[in-house]
């Protein structure tokens, strides 16, 4: 979950089918989805609304916007 006071609260959810969803907590709806070739093994929020996703040996840094 995000804890950046400048942005709305959001939760990132990794699924075994290789998708990562970002859900806006205030309205309870998905605001973004990332499709990976393999399931994510770790998620972390970085400053500025960046989501870091670990997938196998790769790290992906994704800017989450739109909410």
């Amino acid at each position: 979950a995000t804890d950046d006071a400048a942005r709305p609260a959001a939760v990132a959810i990794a699924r075994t089918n290789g998708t990562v969803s970002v859900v806006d907590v205030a309205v309870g709806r998905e605001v973004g989805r990332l499709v990976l070739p393999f399931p994510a093994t770790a998620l972390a929020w970085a400053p500025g609304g960046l989501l870091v996703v670990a997938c196998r040996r790769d790290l992906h840094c994704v800017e989450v916007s739109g909410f």
Side-chain angles (χ1 to χ4, degrees):
T2 60
D3 62 357
D4 185 349
R7 299 179 64 87
V11 175
I13 304 164
R15 295 189 176 81
T16 57
N17 67 357
T19 62
V20 176
S21 297
V22 177
V23 176
D24 182 339
V25 176
V27 295
R29 69 175 176 87
E30 185 179 273
V31 294
R33 180 176 285 211
L34 175 66
V35 179
L36 302 167
F38 302 99
T41 54
L43 302 172
W45 288 100
L50 297 175
L51 178 63
V52 180
V53 180
C55 179
R56 289 212 166 182
R57 295 182 182 188
D58 298 321
L59 289 176
H60 303 273
C61 188
V62 181
E63 183 175 0
V64 178
S65 61
F67 73 103

